[in-house]
Amino acid sequence: MSHEDLTRHYRVDTGKMLDLVINLPDQIEETWRAMKTFKPPAMKGTAPLIVCGMGGSAIGGMLLRDLIQHDARVPIYLESTYALPAFADRSTPVICVSYSGNTAEVLGCFQNALMRKCPTIVVTSGGALADEADLAGVRVIRVPAGMPPRAALGALFTPLLGLVSKWGIYPVADEEIALAIRKSRKIAEKYSLSGDPVDSRALQLAKRIYGKTVFIYGGDGLLRAAAYRWKCQFNENAKSMAFANTFPELGHNEIMGWDCPERLRGDFFLIVLRDAEDHPRVQRGLEAVFRMVEPLASGSVLIESEGDKGRGGRLARLLSCILLGDFTSVYLAVEYGKDPTPIEKIDRIKEELKMEDA
Ligand code: PA5
């Protein structure tokens, strides 16, 4: 890409979101290394593991669930409200994730966890959550501050992976991480602006999506939360409307929505994410959905996760889809002339609620 193109990009992307996206493999590598010396409290039994978080701090838990759900010896329960579920007690491990450490929902769950004496760990860059955890003697995994939470995905997700591995819920080998990092670095280089723009699938996809409302469909398996991550990144980075859903459930309802009047679906764009190890019926179902919707949508693309088959390649395949979505959302933001970093309406909602609390 030419010097002028790069200047044009960073004139809009003043927060350098693109650099943070490129940095994902490095974040994972550094955090995995840091987790080596972290000693979590012992965990016995088969109580569900509760992971609390909102928005950019919740996605790590969702990705963890998708990655390990079929092999983990305990279920992962995701909490995104102000309180823990009724079953949480002193045998239920709780991980409270909040990048800023000031998110009311997570602080509420943390207080609940203390009251119910749940074995608790906090993942944060600071804020009230770190202070309260320090005060209560709860172990804190501190992540580097100064990023938008959604750009700290590697720093927030990797501790979860480290913890489930240390607890024996889902052992993760160093080689698995190393393979995923290697693969992600190659992909990040491919999608970055360092090469010929024609070769950047993310840049080309952003141009195709421009002006469209995006629907992202994933299989209910490895890529369920990946589809949701795409949606959230389109919302927050590109300030554009996007929706995500999963097959098979969408085959029982949402598929009918594509029969809506043409003037409505005229700007709908379909993205299907597929993984080679999705259930065979899910794979066939997603293909059928794609075939049916393609002539109705104003554009469509079928994306296969990239990487080795089997458990060892699972993380790499998941990250390959995350990276494509993250890059595409940043390029789409620039196409729209929107700085990917500010999230003014989210900040305003938090401020208004805080004022009412006071
Ligand atoms: O992307 C964002 O900034 C948001 O989705 C935040 O992650 C969300 O509001 C929660 O804040 P925090 O991640 O600081 O707990």
PDB file of all heavy atoms in Angstrom, residues 53-58 97-103 106 148-151 156 233 236 343 346-347 350, ligand 1:
ATOM      1  N   GLY A  53     -18.781 -10.660  32.622  1.00  0.00           N
ATOM      2  CA  GLY A  53     -18.180  -9.578  31.838  1.00  0.00           C
ATOM      3  C   GLY A  53     -19.206  -8.981  30.905  1.00  0.00           C
ATOM      4  O   GLY A  53     -20.250  -9.588  30.633  1.00  0.00           O
ATOM      5  N   MET A  54     -18.909  -7.778  30.424  1.00  0.00           N
ATOM      6  CA  MET A  54     -19.792  -7.084  29.492  1.00  0.00           C
ATOM      7  C   MET A  54     -18.994  -6.664  28.260  1.00  0.00           C
ATOM      8  O   MET A  54     -17.814  -6.295  28.370  1.00  0.00           O
ATOM      9  CB  MET A  54     -20.384  -5.823  30.130  1.00  0.00           C
ATOM     10  CG  MET A  54     -21.116  -6.011  31.441  1.00  0.00           C
ATOM     11  SD  MET A  54     -22.470  -7.195  31.402  1.00  0.00           S
ATOM     12  CE  MET A  54     -23.579  -6.458  30.220  1.00  0.00           C
ATOM     13  N   GLY A  55     -19.668  -6.634  27.122  1.00  0.00           N
ATOM     14  CA  GLY A  55     -19.082  -6.080  25.897  1.00  0.00           C
ATOM     15  C   GLY A  55     -17.708  -6.647  25.574  1.00  0.00           C
ATOM     16  O   GLY A  55     -17.513  -7.866  25.515  1.00  0.00           O
ATOM     17  N   GLY A  56     -16.754  -5.756  25.398  1.00  0.00           N
ATOM     18  CA  GLY A  56     -15.402  -6.161  25.023  1.00  0.00           C
ATOM     19  C   GLY A  56     -14.736  -7.042  26.063  1.00  0.00           C
ATOM     20  O   GLY A  56     -13.778  -7.757  25.763  1.00  0.00           O
ATOM     21  N   SER A  57     -15.242  -6.999  27.293  1.00  0.00           N
ATOM     22  CA  SER A  57     -14.690  -7.870  28.342  1.00  0.00           C
ATOM     23  C   SER A  57     -15.459  -9.178  28.458  1.00  0.00           C
ATOM     24  O   SER A  57     -15.060 -10.062  29.214  1.00  0.00           O
ATOM     25  CB  SER A  57     -14.720  -7.145  29.692  1.00  0.00           C
ATOM     26  OG  SER A  57     -13.801  -6.084  29.691  1.00  0.00           O
ATOM     27  N   ALA A  58     -16.562  -9.291  27.748  1.00  0.00           N
ATOM     28  CA  ALA A  58     -17.358 -10.524  27.802  1.00  0.00           C
ATOM     29  C   ALA A  58     -16.958 -11.495  26.697  1.00  0.00           C
ATOM     30  O   ALA A  58     -17.089 -12.713  26.834  1.00  0.00           O
ATOM     31  CB  ALA A  58     -18.841 -10.203  27.667  1.00  0.00           C
ATOM     32  N   VAL A  97     -14.380 -10.423  34.818  1.00  0.00           N
ATOM     33  CA  VAL A  97     -13.537  -9.763  33.821  1.00  0.00           C
ATOM     34  C   VAL A  97     -14.098  -8.373  33.525  1.00  0.00           C
ATOM     35  O   VAL A  97     -15.233  -8.232  33.073  1.00  0.00           O
ATOM     36  CB  VAL A  97     -13.498 -10.574  32.493  1.00  0.00           C
ATOM     37  CG1 VAL A  97     -12.456  -9.973  31.543  1.00  0.00           C
ATOM     38  CG2 VAL A  97     -13.198 -12.046  32.749  1.00  0.00           C
ATOM     39  N   SER A  98     -13.310  -7.353  33.787  1.00  0.00           N
ATOM     40  CA  SER A  98     -13.684  -6.002  33.354  1.00  0.00           C
ATOM     41  C   SER A  98     -12.402  -5.253  33.049  1.00  0.00           C
ATOM     42  O   SER A  98     -11.587  -5.035  33.952  1.00  0.00           O
ATOM     43  CB  SER A  98     -14.479  -5.262  34.433  1.00  0.00           C
ATOM     44  OG  SER A  98     -14.578  -3.891  34.069  1.00  0.00           O
ATOM     45  N   TYR A  99     -12.260  -4.864  31.797  1.00  0.00           N
ATOM     46  CA  TYR A  99     -11.007  -4.209  31.404  1.00  0.00           C
ATOM     47  C   TYR A  99     -10.776  -2.945  32.236  1.00  0.00           C
ATOM     48  O   TYR A  99      -9.721  -2.774  32.845  1.00  0.00           O
ATOM     49  CB  TYR A  99     -11.008  -3.878  29.909  1.00  0.00           C
ATOM     50  CG  TYR A  99      -9.682  -3.295  29.489  1.00  0.00           C
ATOM     51  CD1 TYR A  99      -8.561  -4.108  29.390  1.00  0.00           C
ATOM     52  CD2 TYR A  99      -9.543  -1.930  29.238  1.00  0.00           C
ATOM     53  CE1 TYR A  99      -7.320  -3.574  29.046  1.00  0.00           C
ATOM     54  CE2 TYR A  99      -8.313  -1.397  28.892  1.00  0.00           C
ATOM     55  CZ  TYR A  99      -7.205  -2.224  28.797  1.00  0.00           C
ATOM     56  OH  TYR A  99      -5.987  -1.696  28.475  1.00  0.00           O
ATOM     57  N   SER A 100     -11.782  -2.071  32.303  1.00  0.00           N
ATOM     58  CA  SER A 100     -11.615  -0.824  33.063  1.00  0.00           C
ATOM     59  C   SER A 100     -11.644  -1.082  34.562  1.00  0.00           C
ATOM     60  O   SER A 100     -11.076  -0.336  35.345  1.00  0.00           O
ATOM     61  CB  SER A 100     -12.741   0.152  32.715  1.00  0.00           C
ATOM     62  OG  SER A 100     -13.984  -0.402  33.110  1.00  0.00           O
ATOM     63  N   GLY A 101     -12.360  -2.130  34.949  1.00  0.00           N
ATOM     64  CA  GLY A 101     -12.555  -2.404  36.375  1.00  0.00           C
ATOM     65  C   GLY A 101     -13.653  -1.542  36.978  1.00  0.00           C
ATOM     66  O   GLY A 101     -13.838  -1.530  38.195  1.00  0.00           O
ATOM     67  N   ASN A 102     -14.395  -0.848  36.134  1.00  0.00           N
ATOM     68  CA  ASN A 102     -15.425   0.055  36.656  1.00  0.00           C
ATOM     69  C   ASN A 102     -16.807  -0.276  36.116  1.00  0.00           C
ATOM     70  O   ASN A 102     -17.700   0.581  36.134  1.00  0.00           O
ATOM     71  CB  ASN A 102     -15.071   1.509  36.313  1.00  0.00           C
ATOM     72  CG  ASN A 102     -13.836   1.958  37.075  1.00  0.00           C
ATOM     73  OD1 ASN A 102     -13.683   1.632  38.260  1.00  0.00           O
ATOM     74  ND2 ASN A 102     -12.934   2.652  36.415  1.00  0.00           N
ATOM     75  N   THR A 103     -16.996  -1.447  35.612  1.00  0.00           N
ATOM     76  CA  THR A 103     -18.282  -1.808  35.002  1.00  0.00           C
ATOM     77  C   THR A 103     -19.250  -2.315  36.071  1.00  0.00           C
ATOM     78  O   THR A 103     -18.948  -3.294  36.779  1.00  0.00           O
ATOM     79  CB  THR A 103     -18.051  -2.844  33.885  1.00  0.00           C
ATOM     80  OG1 THR A 103     -17.225  -2.225  32.904  1.00  0.00           O
ATOM     81  CG2 THR A 103     -19.337  -3.302  33.237  1.00  0.00           C
ATOM     82  N   VAL A 106     -20.278  -6.049  36.450  1.00  0.00           N
ATOM     83  CA  VAL A 106     -19.225  -6.953  36.948  1.00  0.00           C
ATOM     84  C   VAL A 106     -18.949  -6.678  38.431  1.00  0.00           C
ATOM     85  O   VAL A 106     -18.738  -7.616  39.216  1.00  0.00           O
ATOM     86  CB  VAL A 106     -17.935  -6.803  36.097  1.00  0.00           C
ATOM     87  CG1 VAL A 106     -16.860  -7.764  36.567  1.00  0.00           C
ATOM     88  CG2 VAL A 106     -18.253  -7.043  34.619  1.00  0.00           C
ATOM     89  N   PRO A 148      -8.691   0.365  24.200  1.00  0.00           N
ATOM     90  CA  PRO A 148     -10.131   0.117  24.253  1.00  0.00           C
ATOM     91  C   PRO A 148     -10.314  -1.373  24.619  1.00  0.00           C
ATOM     92  O   PRO A 148      -9.562  -2.215  24.116  1.00  0.00           O
ATOM     93  CB  PRO A 148     -10.599   0.378  22.824  1.00  0.00           C
ATOM     94  CG  PRO A 148      -9.481   1.098  22.149  1.00  0.00           C
ATOM     95  CD  PRO A 148      -8.223   0.678  22.838  1.00  0.00           C
ATOM     96  N   PRO A 149     -11.269  -1.700  25.480  1.00  0.00           N
ATOM     97  CA  PRO A 149     -11.405  -3.089  25.926  1.00  0.00           C
ATOM     98  C   PRO A 149     -11.456  -4.106  24.776  1.00  0.00           C
ATOM     99  O   PRO A 149     -10.832  -5.168  24.841  1.00  0.00           O
ATOM    100  CB  PRO A 149     -12.724  -3.093  26.700  1.00  0.00           C
ATOM    101  CG  PRO A 149     -12.884  -1.686  27.173  1.00  0.00           C
ATOM    102  CD  PRO A 149     -12.262  -0.816  26.128  1.00  0.00           C
ATOM    103  N   ARG A 150     -12.166  -3.753  23.705  1.00  0.00           N
ATOM    104  CA  ARG A 150     -12.294  -4.722  22.601  1.00  0.00           C
ATOM    105  C   ARG A 150     -10.967  -4.978  21.904  1.00  0.00           C
ATOM    106  O   ARG A 150     -10.804  -5.983  21.221  1.00  0.00           O
ATOM    107  CB  ARG A 150     -13.365  -4.266  21.604  1.00  0.00           C
ATOM    108  CG  ARG A 150     -13.077  -2.927  20.943  1.00  0.00           C
ATOM    109  CD  ARG A 150     -14.307  -2.402  20.218  1.00  0.00           C
ATOM    110  NE  ARG A 150     -14.090  -1.116  19.575  1.00  0.00           N
ATOM    111  CZ  ARG A 150     -14.045   0.059  20.206  1.00  0.00           C
ATOM    112  NH1 ARG A 150     -14.183   0.102  21.520  1.00  0.00           N
ATOM    113  NH2 ARG A 150     -13.869   1.179  19.534  1.00  0.00           N
ATOM    114  N   ALA A 151     -10.028  -4.024  22.067  1.00  0.00           N
ATOM    115  CA  ALA A 151      -8.715  -4.207  21.457  1.00  0.00           C
ATOM    116  C   ALA A 151      -7.764  -4.946  22.396  1.00  0.00           C
ATOM    117  O   ALA A 151      -6.631  -5.233  22.035  1.00  0.00           O
ATOM    118  CB  ALA A 151      -8.125  -2.853  21.076  1.00  0.00           C
ATOM    119  N   LEU A 156      -7.320 -10.281  27.575  1.00  0.00           N
ATOM    120  CA  LEU A 156      -8.451 -10.678  28.418  1.00  0.00           C
ATOM    121  C   LEU A 156      -8.834 -12.150  28.239  1.00  0.00           C
ATOM    122  O   LEU A 156      -9.308 -12.797  29.176  1.00  0.00           O
ATOM    123  CB  LEU A 156      -9.668  -9.796  28.104  1.00  0.00           C
ATOM    124  CG  LEU A 156      -9.518  -8.299  28.406  1.00  0.00           C
ATOM    125  CD1 LEU A 156     -10.706  -7.514  27.866  1.00  0.00           C
ATOM    126  CD2 LEU A 156      -9.373  -8.063  29.909  1.00  0.00           C
ATOM    127  N   GLN A 233     -17.855  -5.666  16.494  1.00  0.00           N
ATOM    128  CA  GLN A 233     -16.785  -4.853  15.913  1.00  0.00           C
ATOM    129  C   GLN A 233     -17.336  -3.935  14.816  1.00  0.00           C
ATOM    130  O   GLN A 233     -16.898  -2.798  14.690  1.00  0.00           O
ATOM    131  CB  GLN A 233     -15.659  -5.753  15.361  1.00  0.00           C
ATOM    132  CG  GLN A 233     -14.884  -6.498  16.435  1.00  0.00           C
ATOM    133  CD  GLN A 233     -14.008  -5.563  17.274  1.00  0.00           C
ATOM    134  OE1 GLN A 233     -14.495  -4.805  18.092  1.00  0.00           O
ATOM    135  NE2 GLN A 233     -12.712  -5.611  17.060  1.00  0.00           N
ATOM    136  N   GLU A 236     -19.125  -1.169  16.933  1.00  0.00           N
ATOM    137  CA  GLU A 236     -18.286  -0.230  17.704  1.00  0.00           C
ATOM    138  C   GLU A 236     -17.194   0.427  16.856  1.00  0.00           C
ATOM    139  O   GLU A 236     -16.966   1.622  16.973  1.00  0.00           O
ATOM    140  CB  GLU A 236     -17.665  -0.938  18.897  1.00  0.00           C
ATOM    141  CG  GLU A 236     -18.680  -1.330  19.954  1.00  0.00           C
ATOM    142  CD  GLU A 236     -18.034  -1.893  21.204  1.00  0.00           C
ATOM    143  OE1 GLU A 236     -17.300  -1.163  21.877  1.00  0.00           O
ATOM    144  OE2 GLU A 236     -18.253  -3.091  21.496  1.00  0.00           O
ATOM    145  N   ILE A 343     -16.288   5.636  21.301  1.00  0.00           N
ATOM    146  CA  ILE A 343     -17.596   4.950  21.416  1.00  0.00           C
ATOM    147  C   ILE A 343     -18.497   5.855  22.267  1.00  0.00           C
ATOM    148  O   ILE A 343     -18.873   5.514  23.380  1.00  0.00           O
ATOM    149  CB  ILE A 343     -17.449   3.546  22.032  1.00  0.00           C
ATOM    150  CG1 ILE A 343     -16.442   3.574  23.203  1.00  0.00           C
ATOM    151  CG2 ILE A 343     -17.055   2.518  20.999  1.00  0.00           C
ATOM    152  CD1 ILE A 343     -16.494   2.381  24.095  1.00  0.00           C
ATOM    153  N   ILE A 346     -21.830   4.685  23.986  1.00  0.00           N
ATOM    154  CA  ILE A 346     -21.619   3.728  25.097  1.00  0.00           C
ATOM    155  C   ILE A 346     -21.166   4.509  26.334  1.00  0.00           C
ATOM    156  O   ILE A 346     -21.673   4.304  27.442  1.00  0.00           O
ATOM    157  CB  ILE A 346     -20.572   2.658  24.709  1.00  0.00           C
ATOM    158  CG1 ILE A 346     -21.094   1.790  23.564  1.00  0.00           C
ATOM    159  CG2 ILE A 346     -20.206   1.781  25.905  1.00  0.00           C
ATOM    160  CD1 ILE A 346     -20.112   0.771  23.014  1.00  0.00           C
ATOM    161  N   ASP A 347     -20.246   5.438  26.133  1.00  0.00           N
ATOM    162  CA  ASP A 347     -19.761   6.247  27.264  1.00  0.00           C
ATOM    163  C   ASP A 347     -20.906   7.044  27.881  1.00  0.00           C
ATOM    164  O   ASP A 347     -21.005   7.172  29.103  1.00  0.00           O
ATOM    165  CB  ASP A 347     -18.662   7.220  26.803  1.00  0.00           C
ATOM    166  CG  ASP A 347     -17.414   6.475  26.344  1.00  0.00           C
ATOM    167  OD1 ASP A 347     -17.238   5.313  26.765  1.00  0.00           O
ATOM    168  OD2 ASP A 347     -16.627   7.043  25.559  1.00  0.00           O
ATOM    169  N   LYS A 350     -23.184   4.959  30.074  1.00  0.00           N
ATOM    170  CA  LYS A 350     -22.543   4.682  31.373  1.00  0.00           C
ATOM    171  C   LYS A 350     -22.626   5.911  32.278  1.00  0.00           C
ATOM    172  O   LYS A 350     -22.931   5.805  33.460  1.00  0.00           O
ATOM    173  CB  LYS A 350     -21.081   4.281  31.166  1.00  0.00           C
ATOM    174  CG  LYS A 350     -20.914   2.898  30.574  1.00  0.00           C
ATOM    175  CD  LYS A 350     -19.453   2.502  30.502  1.00  0.00           C
ATOM    176  CE  LYS A 350     -19.292   1.179  29.789  1.00  0.00           C
ATOM    177  NZ  LYS A 350     -17.932   0.732  29.644  1.00  0.00           N
TER     178      LYS A 350
HETATM  179  O1  PA5 B   1     -15.985  -2.100  23.812  1.00  0.00           O
HETATM  180  C1  PA5 B   1     -16.239  -1.495  24.847  1.00  0.00           C
HETATM  181  O2  PA5 B   1     -15.608  -0.492  25.220  1.00  0.00           O
HETATM  182  C2  PA5 B   1     -17.365  -1.970  25.728  1.00  0.00           C
HETATM  183  O3  PA5 B   1     -18.063  -3.017  25.153  1.00  0.00           O
HETATM  184  C3  PA5 B   1     -16.805  -2.357  27.112  1.00  0.00           C
HETATM  185  O4  PA5 B   1     -15.963  -3.462  26.999  1.00  0.00           O
HETATM  186  C4  PA5 B   1     -17.966  -2.626  28.074  1.00  0.00           C
HETATM  187  O5  PA5 B   1     -18.734  -1.470  28.199  1.00  0.00           O
HETATM  188  C5  PA5 B   1     -17.495  -3.066  29.437  1.00  0.00           C
HETATM  189  O6  PA5 B   1     -16.474  -2.239  29.944  1.00  0.00           O
HETATM  190  P1  PA5 B   1     -15.171  -2.943  30.533  1.00  0.00           P
HETATM  191  O7  PA5 B   1     -14.625  -3.759  29.423  1.00  0.00           O
HETATM  192  O8  PA5 B   1     -14.272  -1.834  30.923  1.00  0.00           O
HETATM  193  O9  PA5 B   1     -15.645  -3.761  31.688  1.00  0.00           O
END
